[in-house]
Amino acid sequence: DDPEKLAAFQARIDRGEKIEPKDWMPEGYRKTLIRQIGQHAHSEIVGQLPEGNWVTRAPTLERKAILLAKVQDEAGHGLYLYCAAETLGVSRDALTEMLLDGRMKYSSIFNYPTLTWADMGAVGWLVDGAAIMNQVPLQRTSYGPYARAMVRICKEESFHQRQGFDIMMKMANGTEAQRRMAQDALNRFWYPSLMMFGPSDKDSTHSAQSMKWRIKMNTNDELRQKFVDQTVPQAEYLGLTVPDPDLRWNEETGHYDFTEPDWSEFMEVIAGNGPCNRDRLEARNRAWDEGAWVREGLMAHAEKRRAAQVA
Ligand code: FAQ
């Protein structure tokens, strides 16, 4: 890229201007955005599976209606994000193909199983909570279409987080067996949720450049710390114990000290070897294959209408 163009581009970013689809941008900026927005879109789509697993087994009609709405919201988020990625010159079909054949990633969190109803509480509370922590600053990201998609997504995510916390309240204040289920869900989802923010800053390959371009507004460790600081008092309010014996409030720093996730487990999960990676990709591939007739039908219909117009 031409150094003068690069400098002018960086100056626009530094002034806080939004970059729009038709503006000049460095190839690296475009590629990083396609990777991040694409991974984010895939996460929303694959992220429907762990909760979709419980729609038919929700304990009441009301819980079922709420969960169904939440899962449908995630599909909508995926669609806004694919649209934002398409403004960068990549098609949704190309992105989908890269998800289905494993060339593109989606969030590590969705490779963990949802074993009990309490997991619906833990996912809403912790997973959507972590998602919001990461996405609220992204409303100010430098790429216009991504920033605008985030505004609506964040509003919906805060409803998702509250519905999860509400399930946790019911379970944590229910029978002894329900309280144990809530604790067990927290035990299993705590570290996977901390991993959602990505590797520690020293191992994050993209953070420095992405922050310079304001694609990312915070480092992975900054957001992880914020999440811990916000969530620990919520766990206390629920009367549940965060599964980290070394967790403690640090008066000097004004933050909680906590034990880092097991990064070797994280690396395994993002390499495709987590507990559910194979199932998740199989489910998405099956949905794609089984939907082929719908796509073909729509194409044939469009073709017929076009031919009729020409005639
Ligand atoms: N999982 O250099 P960095 C949701 C990869 S919320 C998998 O630090 P970066 C809502 C990374 O791609 C979840 N891979 O990377 C919902 C890179 O590999 P690459 C989605 C991960 O991009 C709730 C390598 O590690 N949210 O879906 C993960 O600067 C409930 C090095 O890492 C977003 O995507 C991970 N956790 O920072 C839906 C938010 N972390 O590509 C349903 C937007 C890192 O070079 C139910 N994304 N990697 O092969 C971001 O903010 C960033 O992309 C980070 C990672 C912070 C995730």
Side-chain angles (χ1 to χ4, degrees):
D1 286 324
D2 173 349
E4 252 174 57
K5 273 187 168 169
L6 275 178
F9 179 81
Q10 189 62 48
R12 289 190 64 191
I13 301 265
D14 295 343
R15 283 197 298 273
E17 283 178 30
K18 291 275 177 266
I19 307 300
E20 296 298 337
K22 292 196 170 135
D23 297 350
W24 183 86
M25 60 185 81
E27 258 328 283
Y29 179 84
R30 184 188 301 276
K31 268 176 63 184
T32 301
L33 276 171
I34 291 175
R35 182 183 60 77
Q36 179 168 322
I37 302 174
Q39 166 176 318
H40 194 166
H42 297 329
S43 303
E44 302 281 357
I45 297 300
V46 177
Q48 295 177 93
L49 296 169
E51 288 168 291
N53 179 35
W54 280 90
V55 169
T56 57
R57 292 177 288 168
T60 67
L61 181 61
E62 190 190 11
R63 290 290 184 200
K64 180 169 174 155
I66 295 170
L67 187 63
L68 200 56
K70 178 194 190 286
V71 173
Q72 285 175 342
D73 284 350
E74 310 298 357
H77 298 175
L79 299 188
Y80 312 147
L81 288 164
Y82 285 127
C83 289
E86 283 191 309
T87 65
L88 292 156
V90 60
S91 71
R92 182 170 147 197
D93 278 359
L95 290 169
T96 301
E97 202 180 303
M98 288 191 274
L99 166 68
L100 297 181
D101 69 15
R103 271 178 294 161
M104 269 182 95
K105 295 188 167 80
Y106 57 88
S107 182
S108 50
I109 187 71
F110 303 117
N111 293 306
Y112 290 85
T114 45
L115 304 176
T116 72
W117 174 254
D119 289 7
M120 296 303 94
V123 169
W125 172 37
L126 301 172
V127 176
D128 287 274
I132 297 171
M133 196 54 86
N134 165 278
Q135 288 170 190
V136 164
L138 289 179
Q139 295 178 104
R140 292 178 289 115
T141 192
S142 61
Y143 189 57
Y146 191 27
R148 290 188 288 272
M150 281 301 120
V151 173
R152 177 148 173 203
I153 291 180
C154 283
K155 286 194 181 130
E156 294 178 350
E157 296 290 20
S158 61
F159 148 65
H160 296 170
Q161 200 268 352
R162 292 217 307 271
Q163 71 85 37
F165 194 73
D166 187 62
I167 294 175
M168 289 309 272
M169 294 252 281
K170 262 270 171 354
M171 300 293 286
N173 296 308
T175 64
E176 184 48 30
Q178 285 173 316
R179 205 201 59 78
R180 274 203 307 272
M181 280 165 73
Q183 181 63 52
D184 171 61
L186 171 57
N187 292 349
R188 284 179 291 105
F189 276 94
W190 177 252
Y191 280 111
S193 300
L194 296 191
M195 292 177 194
M196 287 176 70
F197 297 96
S200 70
D201 291 351
K202 61 182 186 335
D203 297 319
S204 167
T205 38
H206 305 290
S207 281
Q209 182 60 64
S210 289
M211 286 185 57
K212 197 163 167 233
W213 277 330
R214 289 172 145 258
I215 289 174
K216 275 168 90 162
M217 310 302 288
N218 304 88
T219 73
N220 301 352
D221 286 336
E222 278 168 17
L223 291 176
R224 191 169 9 253
Q225 181 72 58
K226 248 181 124 173
F227 176 75
V228 171
D229 291 347
Q230 175 184 286
T231 310
V232 171
Q234 296 173 351
E236 281 166 4
Y237 182 78
L238 290 169
L240 300 177
T241 309
V242 172
D244 177 357
D246 295 325
L247 181 82
R248 64 173 189 90
W249 177 252
N250 184 327
E251 203 61 64
E252 268 164 44
T253 59
H255 296 290
Y256 283 93
D257 292 336
F258 63 96
T259 310
E260 296 253 316
D262 174 354
W263 292 118
S264 62
E265 176 181 323
F266 172 75
M267 295 315 285
E268 277 297 305
V269 173
I270 69 171
N273 304 317
C276 300
N277 295 61
R278 198 148 303 157
D279 280 2
R280 300 302 186 223
L281 274 191
E282 255 171 41
R284 289 312 312 158
N285 271 289
R286 200 177 332 113
W288 180 253
D289 294 344
E290 289 175 358
W293 69 274
V294 179
R295 295 191 299 276
E296 282 161 18
L298 287 171
M299 290 302 281
H301 178 67
E303 187 53 39
K304 249 198 217 157
R305 288 190 57 159
R306 203 185 55 83
Q309 263 170 12
V310 172

